[in-house]
Amino acid sequence: MAASMVCRVRAAFLRFESDLLKILGLNRFNGPCLAPTGVNLQQQPHQRDSSPGVGFLESLKESVLWAVPRSRRSLERRHTRRFQHHKHFEHAKPKKNIIACLDCGHWHERNTLCGNCYEKVRQETQEMIAAMKEDEKVKFNHPDTELTFLYQDELKLKDQFVGTHIVEVKKKRPQWWSKNLLTSANKR
Amino acid sequence: MNGGTYIAHSGFLKRFVLMLRPTAVSAHVLGFHSSPSQYLDFEPDKPYTTKKWPKYNEIVYPPKKDGELTRPAEICHQRTLIKYSQEKMWYIGMMLRGLTIDEGIKQMTFYKRKGGAIVKEILLEAQKMAIEEHNVEYKSNLWIADAFPTRGYIIKGLRKHRGPRFGVIHYRYCHFFVRLIEGHPPKHYMAPEETGNEKMTEYIENLRKRKIWHGL
C-alpha cells in the first residue's frame, strides 16, 4: 500500500513537471517519433485559426460567440422540424390493429375485448347487482354461503343449489350466456 | 374579437385569471351558458360560421354533355369554433385525407384524443348530409378528399406564478373542414415515396442535365 502511494505521488509530480514545462515552453520531444518535414519544431506562441485580415473585434467574436444561429430559420424548415411524426407526440398514423369482433362484428383493437360485447355483459352484470341489492338477506348483510343467481325460467332448479343462497333475477337468462359459467368448477 | 379580452371562468382549477381589459361582465361569469362555448364572452346573434366553405355545396354545374363522365357528388361540411388546438387537429386531418369514409370513421373511433371524437361526429354529419341533401346513393361510397383545420379565436388568459410572475394561457378555438367525394379514393393521395431505382434514374438525369456555362 505504501508502494502504491509512492507511485501515485510520483506520477502526480511528473504530471505537474510536464505541465509546468509546457507552460514555459521548454518541453522537448522525449524518445523517437516521426518528425514531419517543414514544421518548425521550436514551439511558437499559439496562432489563432482566424484569417490574417481579421481584426481584433472579429477574432473576439469568433472566440466568444460560438454556438449562435447564423441566419433565421425559414417557415418551411421550422414546420418540417416541428411536424415530423417521429418527434411530435401528436403524430397520427392509421392504426392497422383494428379487427372485427367474431361475435357481433363491431370494430375493436386486436389486444382488447370487443367494446360492444363487453357493454352487453356489463349491462347484464348491473342488473344482477341490482337484483342482489333488492334481496333482503344480501341488502345489508354478507351471507356466509355462496350466492347463486337464478333467472325466471330456471326457478324450478332451486333444489340443485341447496347449500347456497339463491338470488332471483327477474328476467329470462340471455341466450349468449356461456354454459361454463353455469357449472361450478368444484362441483362433483 | 380582440386578443386581449379577459375570461374569468370560476370553474378553472388552481388558476385564477385576471382582467386584462375592463369589459362588460359576460353571461358565463354569471353562470349562464348560452354562448357557444364557456370561454367566449360574446353571444353572436347568428351562429358563427365561416362563409366560403358551405358555398361550394351551392355550385350548379351546366348539364352533362354526351360522352362526359358523371361528375361525382361533392359534399363540403364544416364545424366552427371547436374548443381544440388547430395544431393538434392538423394531425387528424393529415391522417384522414385520402381515406374512405368508413375507414376514416373507424380510425377516429380509436384515436384516443379529444379531437378524434369531434372529427368522428363531423364525418358522420357529412355522411348524413350526403345521403339526405346531395343525392348520394350509398353512404359507404364516399372518400375524404379534404380534411383540415383553420384557427378560430385564441383567447388569452393569465396564470399567476409566485411573486410578480405571470404566465399567459391560450384558449384556442379552431374550425374543421371536410370534403367528401362520391366514389373510390385515388390510389395515391400523397405522392408515393420513390423507389431506389427511380431515385437512381433521377440522379443520373440530373447529372446529364448539367450545363457548362460559357463553354464551347
Side-chain angles (χ1 to χ4, degrees):
Chain A
M1 192 187 121
S4 68
M5 279 285 289
V6 165
C7 282
R8 264 190 264 134
V9 167
R10 184 170 170 272
F13 179 75
L14 285 173
R15 256 184 271 129
F16 169 71
E17 198 190 6
S18 75
D19 287 346
L20 188 64
L21 290 173
K22 225 186 259 177
I23 289 162
L24 297 173
L26 295 171
N27 53 346
R28 299 273 179 268
F29 294 109
N30 296 317
C33 64
L34 294 170
T37 54
V39 169
N40 193 351
L41 287 177
Q42 290 170 23
Q43 293 286 324
Q44 297 274 344
H46 172 61
Q47 293 278 5
R48 283 212 188 280
D49 285 340
S50 50
S51 55
V54 169
F56 170 70
L57 283 175
E58 284 295 309
S59 67
L60 188 73
K61 198 160 67 164
E62 275 173 38
S63 63
V64 167
L65 301 171
W66 286 319
V68 134
R70 241 264 80 128
S71 49
R72 186 183 175 178
R73 280 163 155 170
S74 64
L75 192 69
E76 288 84 15
R77 283 188 184 237
R78 296 203 302 262
H79 279 165
T80 315
R81 186 184 67 256
R82 286 172 196 166
F83 297 133
Q84 304 178 69
H85 87 85
H86 70 271
K87 265 190 169 183
H88 205 279
F89 71 95
E90 285 292 348
H91 68 262
K93 275 187 128 177
K95 288 195 171 169
K96 301 239 165 92
N97 63 341
I98 300 169
I99 55 174
C101 172
L102 294 170
D103 294 319
C104 67
H106 278 73
W107 299 115
H108 67 98
E109 280 179 282
R110 201 191 303 124
N111 58 337
T112 64
L113 294 173
C114 167
N116 186 246
C117 294
Y118 176 71
E119 184 59 34
K120 206 168 55 179
V121 172
R122 199 182 71 85
Q123 290 291 347
E124 190 58 37
T125 317
Q126 294 301 319
E127 285 172 33
M128 286 168 75
I129 290 168
M132 216 166 79
K133 285 181 179 167
E134 277 171 17
D135 191 296
E136 289 303 322
K137 292 206 173 160
V138 187
K139 215 181 199 178
F140 301 114
N141 220 352
H142 198 286
D144 55 358
T145 52
E146 199 186 314
L147 290 180
T148 310
F149 291 86
L150 285 183
Y151 286 72
Q152 291 299 101
D153 46 341
E154 295 163 353
L155 288 175
K156 50 186 181 296
L157 303 169
K158 269 187 188 177
D159 306 327
Q160 288 182 19
F161 305 100
V162 170
T164 63
H165 176 77
I166 291 164
V167 175
E168 284 182 31
V169 186
K170 291 184 176 53
K171 58 182 282 211
K172 274 179 76 180
R173 195 178 282 273
Q175 289 294 317
W176 47 260
W177 205 274
S178 171
K179 296 280 183 290
N180 292 335
L181 294 173
L182 297 172
T183 53
S184 171
N186 298 326
K187 203 171 178 183
R188 287 190 198 92
Chain B
M1 172 127 175
N2 301 318
T5 48
Y6 80 96
I7 61 154
H9 185 58
S10 55
F12 231 81
L13 306 164
K14 290 182 189 173
R15 287 175 193 166
F16 58 90
V17 178
L18 305 178
M19 279 200 228
L20 293 179
R21 209 178 288 177
T23 55
V25 174
S26 56
H28 72 262
V29 170
L30 300 170
F32 314 132
H33 288 266
S34 48
S35 57
S37 167
Q38 59 186 341
Y39 300 111
L40 294 173
D41 67 348
F42 69 96
E43 257 188 71
D45 296 335
K46 300 169 206 167
Y48 178 89
T49 179
T50 58
K51 296 178 187 96
K52 280 190 206 166
W53 195 248
K55 281 194 178 169
Y56 281 107
N57 290 328
E58 289 154 32
I59 302 171
V60 179
Y61 293 98
K64 198 178 78 146
K65 295 185 194 136
D66 293 332
E68 220 180 329
L69 289 169
T70 316
R71 189 187 299 275
E74 212 175 88
I75 303 99
C76 293
H77 184 48
Q78 67 177 13
R79 190 187 279 199
T80 52
L81 292 178
I82 304 164
K83 178 62 197 62
Y84 201 59
S85 159
Q86 175 203 353
E87 295 202 344
K88 292 179 192 172
M89 275 299 203
W90 182 85
Y91 288 93
I92 297 172
M94 204 57 222
M95 178 167 81
L96 288 176
R97 285 165 219 171
L99 299 180
T100 52
I101 186 76
D102 284 342
E103 185 64 28
I105 292 167
K106 185 171 96 172
Q107 291 296 334
M108 287 298 100
T109 314
F110 296 98
Y111 192 74
K112 294 182 173 72
R113 291 198 185 266
K114 178 176 162 182
I118 296 167
V119 170
K120 187 180 169 185
E121 283 173 15
I122 299 170
L123 289 175
L124 288 166
E125 280 168 20
Q127 196 184 38
K128 196 165 169 242
M129 261 169 69
I131 302 293
E132 289 171 4
E133 294 166 31
H134 292 89
N135 196 29
V136 167
E137 195 179 355
Y138 300 110
K139 68 175 189 176
S140 286
N141 195 26
L142 294 161
W143 66 280
I144 303 166
D146 273 319
F148 59 90
T150 55
R151 70 162 259 177
Y153 298 126
I154 298 180
I155 296 168
K156 301 200 186 70
L158 277 184
R159 177 181 196 253
K160 189 160 171 9
H161 300 288
R162 73 167 191 79
R165 308 253 164 267
F166 292 91
V168 181
I169 310 171
H170 293 85
Y171 299 99
R172 296 177 188 273
Y173 288 86
C174 66
H175 316 304
F176 199 79
F177 303 91
V178 149
R179 174 186 269 142
L180 303 179
I181 296 181
E182 198 177 4
H184 295 293
K187 193 149 182 278
H188 294 290
Y189 186 85
M190 308 293 283
E193 223 192 280
E194 290 184 344
T195 60
N197 277 326
E198 282 171 6
K199 283 184 187 170
M200 185 188 73
T201 47
E202 203 187 298
Y203 173 68
I204 292 168
E205 264 178 54
N206 282 330
L207 288 178
R208 294 206 169 119
K209 270 189 216 166
R210 292 177 298 179
K211 188 181 168 103
I212 300 171
W213 294 100
H214 313 302
L216 294 169

